[in-house]
Amino acid sequence: MELSTSAGSVPYVLKPFNISPDIRQSMQYQNIGDFTQGIAFLIWEDYNLEDYKDYLIHSKQYFDMHEGEREKFIESQLFRHADAASFAKWKFGQLYTALGFALFEFRTTSRHHKEVAQADMHLFKSLVQIENGILIDIILF
């Protein structure tokens, strides 16, 4: 839990993948360059308030509270994100935070990388499909 805000269920998944020469040729993606690997960022389609509760119960914030405050914290957070728009905003915020950490790591280590343009995401779907996962972003390196 040194880097994560919670050891509980998160609303996204990171899926690493390799780009083999066969895949490179079949994709006919002009801007793939010499990249050999990628990380796909997907959001769970079926992530719900029970999953969010697990996230909260295993969060640093929860562990830092006195026992008497924990139940109120859970209730207030569940209430705060009870409507679909607020909950979706929180889920995407979590995914984009993870994406930001990944990009920061690539930039600070000077590792050659590239984000795939939204218009080209469909080219990678066969490599990164996950049941109940919606592809949001890809970093090639």
Side-chain angles (χ1 to χ4, degrees), residues 49-61:
L49 288 176
E50 276 303 308
D51 297 317
Y52 180 49
K53 186 175 180 180
D54 180 71
Y55 174 90
L56 294 170
I57 289 171
H58 293 93
S59 69
K60 287 182 180 183
Q61 194 172 3

Side-chain angles (χ1 to χ4, degrees), residues 10-47:
V10 292
Y12 61 88
V13 63
L14 308 179
K15 183 178 180 185
F17 61 92
N18 292 319
I19 304 169
S20 70
D22 292 343
I23 291 170
R24 180 186 307 279
Q25 190 173 20
S26 70
M27 290 173 69
Q28 298 177 0
Y29 184 57
Q30 300 297 322
N31 299 323
I32 204 164
D34 57 349
F35 300 111
T36 59
Q37 298 174 52
I39 301 173
F41 294 76
L42 301 99
I43 198 148
W44 289 122
E45 193 171 33
D46 57 355
Y47 190 88

Side-chain angles (χ1 to χ4, degrees), residues 12 92-102:
Y12 61 88
F92 278 91
Q94 294 299 305
L95 179 133
Y96 288 121
T97 298
L99 177 61
F101 283 137

